[in-house]
Amino acid sequence: MDIASLLVQVISGAVGGAGAGAAAKQYSLGTIGNVIAGAVGGGITGQLIGNFAGQMIEGWVGDIAGGAIGGIVLTLIAGVIKNMMAKS
């Protein structure tokens, strides 16, 4: 695990999470919540996808894509869960 790759994945995940929250307001966790969920998702998923995507997409592009996708997915999943919990 390269620390620079992890940092890029966390930052791109935070940006992806913030973008997902802005685009899907019904699933938003608030600005800080979106950024935190995105950063966590970007770091975790970026590492998981990074190994796979690293063979197809080299370098920073794979790190950015993996982090952003992970940030978007985790933010939206957390938003859906939050909405489901609020309705019960």
Side-chain angles (χ1 to χ4, degrees):
M1 173 175 72
D2 180 15
I3 194 74
S5 295
L6 180 61
L7 186 59
V8 168
Q9 292 162 351
V10 168
I11 291 170
S12 62
V15 172
K25 296 210 184 287
Q26 69 271 25
Y27 301 121
S28 179
L29 304 170
T31 304
I32 300 297
N34 293 336
V35 169
I36 291 171
V40 170
I44 293 170
T45 308
Q47 288 299 302
L48 296 174
I49 292 176
N51 294 330
F52 174 72
Q55 297 179 9
M56 296 184 337
I57 304 171
E58 292 293 324
W60 295 92
V61 176
D63 292 337
I64 292 169
I69 291 168
I72 291 167
V73 169
L74 186 63
T75 301
L76 293 177
I77 289 172
V80 167
I81 292 170
K82 176 187 157 204
N83 284 349
M84 290 172 61
M85 298 295 284
K87 291 180 182 178
S88 11

